[in-house]
Amino acid sequence: MCEVADTSKPKRVAIIGSGNWGSAIARIIGSNILKNGKFDSTIQMYVFEEIIDGQKLSEIINTKHENVKYLPGFSIPSNVGFDITPGGGIELISSVINKLLNIDMAVLMGANLAGEVAAEKFCETTIGCKDKEAGKLLKELIQTDYFRVVVVDDINTIEVCGALKNIVACGAGFVDGLGYGDNTKAAVIRLGLMEMIKFADVFYPGSKLSTFFESCGVADLITTCYGGRNRKVAEAFVKTGKRIEELENEMLNGQRMQGPQTAEEVHIMLKSKGMEKRFPLFTAIHQICQGNLPPTQMINCIKNHPEHV
């Protein structure tokens, strides 16, 4: 979160959350603001307090300048999703925060696995911001030689991409667990991208097709379907037969998959409009996550997708 309204004083920056991504972006922002006089030199990071080996996580971060649980091995500079609506369905998290705090929102999404960002491996990201000046400021705050930023004004589409890609990644994981190869996974990714575009067109009119070809779209989808936590746990779900909740506890060190919950939220929206058959991949993945359809049916879903009929 960046305070951008008043141009007469240094802008204050806060980071809400300290998971692997919060810690990775703290490394970038913490370094950038020390080089740029537009920002206050101190960053406040808000941490969900946990006890690690008898010590508070916040104390460890403040003294060791390392998030030993979620991003171990990477130092943090010393100056440092979708939401379910009551009626069911999805409300973009940027909209939720805007209503609660009455502040303008921007979003960042991209093919940005936290460990690779922290290791300073080259990647791209997309910032969605309607205010051009605020967008320039955010780019200054976040961009580095290895973390390149493109700013666009299509906020809703960026956020939709960031959520829906996790559903498709579950499908990719199911395919991996079943032992099918990259050709099959490529089909899942392609069909998933088509359903993402269709979903945005139906529920968020005005979405721009070009946004899907930014880092937040097809690039993030590919990365997540090969390297993200949703794919990893979904593969184990097929191979072990264990419940998703059990696998999360075993494999994610306190974090959670986003795919199954988002699939449920999307299913509520599709069911309310009688559109389940128009989104067969999303529907099948939801049913598999809920235990209502065996993972082996993923292949039939792909074979019988309307694109192939």
Tab-separated table of all heavy atoms in Angstrom, residues 86-131:
chain	number	residue	atom	x	y	z
A	86	PRO	N	-21.431	-11.897	0.618
A	86	PRO	CA	-22.427	-12.555	1.473
A	86	PRO	C	-23.460	-13.343	0.693
A	86	PRO	O	-23.930	-14.386	1.135
A	86	PRO	CB	-23.071	-11.370	2.209
A	86	PRO	CG	-22.006	-10.330	2.232
A	86	PRO	CD	-21.273	-10.476	0.934
A	87	GLY	N	-23.810	-12.899	-0.506
A	87	GLY	CA	-24.804	-13.588	-1.321
A	87	GLY	C	-24.219	-14.690	-2.164
A	87	GLY	O	-24.928	-15.363	-2.902
A	88	GLY	N	-22.925	-14.907	-2.065
A	88	GLY	CA	-22.260	-15.909	-2.876
A	88	GLY	C	-21.661	-15.278	-4.115
A	88	GLY	O	-22.180	-14.315	-4.665
A	89	GLY	N	-20.534	-15.826	-4.565
A	89	GLY	CA	-19.891	-15.299	-5.749
A	89	GLY	C	-18.635	-14.537	-5.413
A	89	GLY	O	-18.109	-14.632	-4.316
A	90	ILE	N	-18.166	-13.757	-6.377
A	90	ILE	CA	-16.864	-13.122	-6.256
A	90	ILE	C	-16.974	-11.607	-6.215
A	90	ILE	O	-17.730	-11.007	-6.956
A	90	ILE	CB	-15.975	-13.516	-7.451
A	90	ILE	CG1	-15.623	-15.005	-7.371
A	90	ILE	CG2	-14.724	-12.661	-7.532
A	90	ILE	CD1	-14.924	-15.507	-8.601
A	91	GLU	N	-16.212	-11.018	-5.333
A	91	GLU	CA	-15.984	-9.581	-5.374
A	91	GLU	C	-14.480	-9.376	-5.385
A	91	GLU	O	-13.754	-9.952	-4.577
A	91	GLU	CB	-16.605	-8.884	-4.166
A	91	GLU	CG	-16.483	-7.368	-4.248
A	91	GLU	CD	-17.303	-6.661	-3.188
A	91	GLU	OE1	-17.755	-7.322	-2.225
A	91	GLU	OE2	-17.493	-5.439	-3.323
A	92	LEU	N	-14.001	-8.587	-6.322
A	92	LEU	CA	-12.570	-8.366	-6.430
A	92	LEU	C	-12.048	-7.736	-5.160
A	92	LEU	O	-12.658	-6.826	-4.605
A	92	LEU	CB	-12.266	-7.488	-7.638
A	92	LEU	CG	-12.696	-8.060	-8.992
A	92	LEU	CD1	-12.374	-7.061	-10.099
A	92	LEU	CD2	-12.009	-9.388	-9.268
A	93	ILE	N	-10.879	-8.201	-4.695
A	93	ILE	CA	-10.356	-7.735	-3.420
A	93	ILE	C	-10.040	-6.250	-3.461
A	93	ILE	O	-10.140	-5.549	-2.448
A	93	ILE	CB	-9.131	-8.570	-2.996
A	93	ILE	CG1	-8.880	-8.447	-1.492
A	93	ILE	CG2	-7.900	-8.182	-3.789
A	93	ILE	CD1	-9.945	-9.051	-0.625
A	94	SER	N	-9.663	-5.730	-4.628
A	94	SER	CA	-9.422	-4.289	-4.743
A	94	SER	C	-10.704	-3.514	-4.478
A	94	SER	O	-10.681	-2.437	-3.872
A	94	SER	CB	-8.880	-3.946	-6.133
A	94	SER	OG	-9.788	-4.341	-7.149
A	95	SER	N	-11.838	-4.055	-4.904
A	95	SER	CA	-13.131	-3.413	-4.651
A	95	SER	C	-13.488	-3.478	-3.177
A	95	SER	O	-14.016	-2.514	-2.605
A	95	SER	CB	-14.221	-4.097	-5.489
A	95	SER	OG	-15.499	-3.560	-5.191
A	96	VAL	N	-13.175	-4.605	-2.538
A	96	VAL	CA	-13.444	-4.757	-1.103
A	96	VAL	C	-12.672	-3.709	-0.305
A	96	VAL	O	-13.224	-3.007	0.557
A	96	VAL	CB	-13.064	-6.173	-0.617
A	96	VAL	CG1	-13.202	-6.279	0.899
A	96	VAL	CG2	-13.943	-7.222	-1.290
A	97	ILE	N	-11.381	-3.577	-0.588
A	97	ILE	CA	-10.545	-2.614	0.133
A	97	ILE	C	-10.989	-1.191	-0.151
A	97	ILE	O	-11.035	-0.342	0.750
A	97	ILE	CB	-9.068	-2.819	-0.243
A	97	ILE	CG1	-8.594	-4.209	0.209
A	97	ILE	CG2	-8.196	-1.731	0.402
A	97	ILE	CD1	-7.202	-4.568	-0.267
A	98	ASN	N	-11.344	-0.914	-1.400
A	98	ASN	CA	-11.832	0.417	-1.763
A	98	ASN	C	-13.063	0.810	-0.958
A	98	ASN	O	-13.175	1.936	-0.451
A	98	ASN	CB	-12.144	0.465	-3.261
A	98	ASN	CG	-12.821	1.759	-3.680
A	98	ASN	OD1	-14.049	1.809	-3.818
A	98	ASN	ND2	-12.042	2.799	-3.886
A	99	LYS	N	-13.978	-0.125	-0.787
A	99	LYS	CA	-15.197	0.158	-0.020
A	99	LYS	C	-14.918	0.328	1.466
A	99	LYS	O	-15.501	1.181	2.129
A	99	LYS	CB	-16.210	-0.974	-0.232
A	99	LYS	CG	-16.827	-1.010	-1.627
A	99	LYS	CD	-17.773	-2.189	-1.769
A	99	LYS	CE	-18.363	-2.256	-3.176
A	99	LYS	NZ	-19.248	-3.442	-3.342
A	100	LEU	N	-14.011	-0.500	1.988
A	100	LEU	CA	-13.722	-0.446	3.419
A	100	LEU	C	-12.940	0.801	3.810
A	100	LEU	O	-13.212	1.425	4.843
A	100	LEU	CB	-12.938	-1.690	3.846
A	100	LEU	CG	-13.708	-3.015	3.884
A	100	LEU	CD1	-12.756	-4.170	4.135
A	100	LEU	CD2	-14.787	-2.985	4.952
A	101	LEU	N	-11.971	1.177	2.994
A	101	LEU	CA	-11.067	2.269	3.348
A	101	LEU	C	-11.291	3.540	2.540
A	101	LEU	O	-10.690	4.575	2.841
A	101	LEU	CB	-9.609	1.806	3.169
A	101	LEU	CG	-9.179	0.591	3.989
A	101	LEU	CD1	-7.708	0.285	3.727
A	101	LEU	CD2	-9.425	0.803	5.472
A	102	ASN	N	-12.119	3.445	1.498
A	102	ASN	CA	-12.400	4.605	0.645
A	102	ASN	C	-11.119	5.205	0.074
A	102	ASN	O	-10.875	6.412	0.145
A	102	ASN	CB	-13.185	5.669	1.423
A	102	ASN	CG	-13.765	6.739	0.506
A	102	ASN	OD1	-14.069	6.465	-0.665
A	102	ASN	ND2	-13.912	7.948	1.011
A	103	ILE	N	-10.264	4.356	-0.469
A	103	ILE	CA	-9.035	4.800	-1.111
A	103	ILE	C	-8.960	4.216	-2.519
A	103	ILE	O	-9.521	3.156	-2.797
A	103	ILE	CB	-7.777	4.379	-0.320
A	103	ILE	CG1	-7.736	2.852	-0.129
A	103	ILE	CG2	-7.721	5.087	1.026
A	103	ILE	CD1	-6.462	2.347	0.528
A	104	ASP	N	-8.265	4.926	-3.407
A	104	ASP	CA	-8.060	4.412	-4.760
A	104	ASP	C	-7.131	3.210	-4.700
A	104	ASP	O	-6.181	3.179	-3.910
A	104	ASP	CB	-7.449	5.488	-5.655
A	104	ASP	CG	-8.419	6.631	-5.916
A	104	ASP	OD1	-9.641	6.380	-5.887
A	104	ASP	OD2	-7.947	7.760	-6.155
A	105	MET	N	-7.386	2.228	-5.561
A	105	MET	CA	-6.619	0.992	-5.531
A	105	MET	C	-5.896	0.750	-6.850
A	105	MET	O	-6.376	1.114	-7.923
A	105	MET	CB	-7.551	-0.206	-5.255
A	105	MET	CG	-8.188	-0.198	-3.881
A	105	MET	SD	-6.970	-0.309	-2.554
A	105	MET	CE	-6.201	-1.888	-2.946
A	106	ALA	N	-4.734	0.152	-6.755
A	106	ALA	CA	-4.016	-0.387	-7.910
A	106	ALA	C	-3.695	-1.838	-7.582
A	106	ALA	O	-3.715	-2.238	-6.410
A	106	ALA	CB	-2.737	0.401	-8.169
A	107	VAL	N	-3.419	-2.646	-8.603
A	107	VAL	CA	-3.121	-4.058	-8.365
A	107	VAL	C	-1.853	-4.441	-9.111
A	107	VAL	O	-1.482	-3.823	-10.117
A	107	VAL	CB	-4.288	-4.979	-8.799
A	107	VAL	CG1	-5.544	-4.669	-8.012
A	107	VAL	CG2	-4.562	-4.860	-10.300
A	108	LEU	N	-1.163	-5.459	-8.592
A	108	LEU	CA	0.032	-5.993	-9.241
A	108	LEU	C	-0.122	-7.494	-9.380
A	108	LEU	O	-0.407	-8.186	-8.407
A	108	LEU	CB	1.277	-5.657	-8.416
A	108	LEU	CG	2.635	-6.124	-8.968
A	108	LEU	CD1	3.732	-5.144	-8.552
A	108	LEU	CD2	2.998	-7.535	-8.484
A	109	MET	N	0.038	-7.995	-10.594
A	109	MET	CA	-0.022	-9.426	-10.863
A	109	MET	C	0.997	-9.758	-11.949
A	109	MET	O	1.252	-8.954	-12.843
A	109	MET	CB	-1.412	-9.853	-11.366
A	109	MET	CG	-2.562	-9.572	-10.434
A	109	MET	SD	-2.708	-10.786	-9.122
A	109	MET	CE	-4.110	-10.099	-8.219
A	110	GLY	N	1.557	-10.947	-11.892
A	110	GLY	CA	2.482	-11.341	-12.934
A	110	GLY	C	3.038	-12.724	-12.714
A	110	GLY	O	2.720	-13.387	-11.719
A	111	ALA	N	3.863	-13.146	-13.650
A	111	ALA	CA	4.544	-14.432	-13.526
A	111	ALA	C	5.687	-14.243	-12.536
A	111	ALA	O	6.851	-14.108	-12.921
A	111	ALA	CB	5.063	-14.885	-14.891
A	112	ASN	N	5.332	-14.220	-11.254
A	112	ASN	CA	6.260	-13.798	-10.204
A	112	ASN	C	6.302	-14.789	-9.052
A	112	ASN	O	5.788	-14.509	-7.964
A	112	ASN	CB	5.851	-12.421	-9.648
A	112	ASN	CG	5.648	-11.361	-10.705
A	112	ASN	OD1	4.773	-10.523	-10.574
A	112	ASN	ND2	6.434	-11.388	-11.763
A	113	LEU	N	6.890	-15.963	-9.246
A	113	LEU	CA	7.066	-16.878	-8.131
A	113	LEU	C	8.002	-16.232	-7.124
A	113	LEU	O	9.091	-15.764	-7.471
A	113	LEU	CB	7.633	-18.214	-8.612
A	113	LEU	CG	6.734	-19.023	-9.566
A	113	LEU	CD1	7.439	-20.300	-9.987
A	113	LEU	CD2	5.393	-19.342	-8.935
A	114	ALA	N	7.566	-16.201	-5.865
A	114	ALA	CA	8.258	-15.402	-4.852
A	114	ALA	C	9.725	-15.778	-4.693
A	114	ALA	O	10.591	-14.903	-4.557
A	114	ALA	CB	7.533	-15.530	-3.515
A	115	GLY	N	10.037	-17.070	-4.691
A	115	GLY	CA	11.414	-17.500	-4.505
A	115	GLY	C	12.331	-16.995	-5.600
A	115	GLY	O	13.483	-16.608	-5.346
A	116	GLU	N	11.830	-16.975	-6.833
A	116	GLU	CA	12.642	-16.495	-7.952
A	116	GLU	C	12.812	-14.981	-7.905
A	116	GLU	O	13.867	-14.454	-8.255
A	116	GLU	CB	12.022	-16.939	-9.277
A	116	GLU	CG	12.041	-18.449	-9.475
A	116	GLU	CD	11.511	-18.883	-10.833
A	116	GLU	OE1	11.367	-18.016	-11.723
A	116	GLU	OE2	11.229	-20.088	-10.999
A	117	VAL	N	11.761	-14.281	-7.477
A	117	VAL	CA	11.873	-12.829	-7.323
A	117	VAL	C	12.902	-12.504	-6.251
A	117	VAL	O	13.754	-11.634	-6.417
A	117	VAL	CB	10.503	-12.210	-6.979
A	117	VAL	CG1	10.651	-10.715	-6.671
A	117	VAL	CG2	9.513	-12.412	-8.124
A	118	ALA	N	12.823	-13.221	-5.129
A	118	ALA	CA	13.760	-12.990	-4.036
A	118	ALA	C	15.191	-13.283	-4.464
A	118	ALA	O	16.137	-12.618	-4.014
A	118	ALA	CB	13.384	-13.849	-2.833
A	119	ALA	N	15.369	-14.271	-5.344
A	119	ALA	CA	16.699	-14.634	-5.831
A	119	ALA	C	17.163	-13.719	-6.969
A	119	ALA	O	18.234	-13.932	-7.534
A	119	ALA	CB	16.712	-16.086	-6.297
A	120	GLU	N	16.357	-12.721	-7.284
A	120	GLU	CA	16.675	-11.710	-8.295
A	120	GLU	C	16.855	-12.304	-9.686
A	120	GLU	O	17.682	-11.857	-10.486
A	120	GLU	CB	17.894	-10.882	-7.874
A	120	GLU	CG	17.665	-10.162	-6.545
A	120	GLU	CD	18.796	-9.219	-6.167
A	120	GLU	OE1	19.748	-9.067	-6.965
A	120	GLU	OE2	18.726	-8.639	-5.066
A	121	LYS	N	16.052	-13.329	-9.992
A	121	LYS	CA	16.006	-13.873	-11.350
A	121	LYS	C	15.049	-13.021	-12.171
A	121	LYS	O	13.987	-12.644	-11.703
A	121	LYS	CB	15.541	-15.334	-11.319
A	121	LYS	CG	16.513	-16.247	-10.589
A	121	LYS	CD	16.027	-17.694	-10.567
A	121	LYS	CE	17.020	-18.589	-9.842
A	121	LYS	NZ	16.555	-19.998	-9.783
A	122	PHE	N	15.412	-12.742	-13.408
A	122	PHE	CA	14.640	-11.791	-14.218
A	122	PHE	C	13.192	-12.228	-14.396
A	122	PHE	O	12.904	-13.394	-14.672
A	122	PHE	CB	15.273	-11.623	-15.605
A	122	PHE	CG	14.529	-10.620	-16.457
A	122	PHE	CD1	14.830	-9.277	-16.355
A	122	PHE	CD2	13.514	-11.023	-17.313
A	122	PHE	CE1	14.125	-8.339	-17.115
A	122	PHE	CE2	12.811	-10.100	-18.075
A	122	PHE	CZ	13.127	-8.753	-17.966
A	123	CYS	N	12.286	-11.283	-14.252
A	123	CYS	CA	10.869	-11.534	-14.496
A	123	CYS	C	10.164	-10.223	-14.813
A	123	CYS	O	10.708	-9.130	-14.643
A	123	CYS	CB	10.210	-12.232	-13.304
A	123	CYS	SG	10.223	-11.273	-11.788
A	124	GLU	N	8.926	-10.362	-15.292
A	124	GLU	CA	8.077	-9.210	-15.603
A	124	GLU	C	6.867	-9.215	-14.686
A	124	GLU	O	6.491	-10.256	-14.144
A	124	GLU	CB	7.591	-9.275	-17.057
A	124	GLU	CG	8.689	-9.339	-18.090
A	124	GLU	CD	8.143	-9.599	-19.483
A	124	GLU	OE1	7.266	-10.480	-19.611
A	124	GLU	OE2	8.600	-8.920	-20.421
A	125	THR	N	6.250	-8.059	-14.540
A	125	THR	CA	4.999	-7.977	-13.780
A	125	THR	C	4.111	-6.909	-14.397
A	125	THR	O	4.567	-6.103	-15.222
A	125	THR	CB	5.278	-7.681	-12.290
A	125	THR	OG1	4.113	-8.027	-11.521
A	125	THR	CG2	5.611	-6.203	-12.066
A	126	THR	N	2.841	-6.911	-14.017
A	126	THR	CA	1.873	-5.950	-14.536
A	126	THR	C	1.230	-5.211	-13.379
A	126	THR	O	0.778	-5.829	-12.417
A	126	THR	CB	0.763	-6.662	-15.343
A	126	THR	OG1	1.353	-7.558	-16.281
A	126	THR	CG2	-0.104	-5.651	-16.086
A	127	ILE	N	1.213	-3.895	-13.454
A	127	ILE	CA	0.490	-3.074	-12.482
A	127	ILE	C	-0.748	-2.503	-13.175
A	127	ILE	O	-0.653	-1.956	-14.279
A	127	ILE	CB	1.354	-1.923	-11.942
A	127	ILE	CG1	2.451	-2.472	-11.026
A	127	ILE	CG2	0.503	-0.908	-11.170
A	127	ILE	CD1	3.392	-1.411	-10.484
A	128	GLY	N	-1.886	-2.648	-12.528
A	128	GLY	CA	-3.120	-2.033	-13.012
A	128	GLY	C	-3.420	-0.796	-12.199
A	128	GLY	O	-3.555	-0.874	-10.975
A	129	CYS	N	-3.490	0.351	-12.851
A	129	CYS	CA	-3.713	1.611	-12.144
A	129	CYS	C	-4.383	2.589	-13.100
A	129	CYS	O	-3.887	2.832	-14.204
A	129	CYS	CB	-2.383	2.168	-11.645
A	129	CYS	SG	-2.540	3.653	-10.640
A	130	LYS	N	-5.503	3.156	-12.686
A	130	LYS	CA	-6.246	4.080	-13.552
A	130	LYS	C	-5.638	5.481	-13.568
A	130	LYS	O	-5.787	6.220	-14.532
A	130	LYS	CB	-7.714	4.139	-13.122
A	130	LYS	CG	-8.457	2.818	-13.321
A	130	LYS	CD	-9.946	2.963	-13.080
A	130	LYS	CE	-10.667	1.633	-13.269
A	130	LYS	NZ	-10.557	1.149	-14.655
A	131	ASP	N	-4.962	5.864	-12.500
A	131	ASP	CA	-4.331	7.180	-12.412
A	131	ASP	C	-2.916	7.092	-12.991
A	131	ASP	O	-2.053	6.399	-12.445
A	131	ASP	CB	-4.289	7.612	-10.944
A	131	ASP	CG	-3.752	9.017	-10.750
A	131	ASP	OD1	-2.726	9.345	-11.366
A	131	ASP	OD2	-4.349	9.778	-9.966
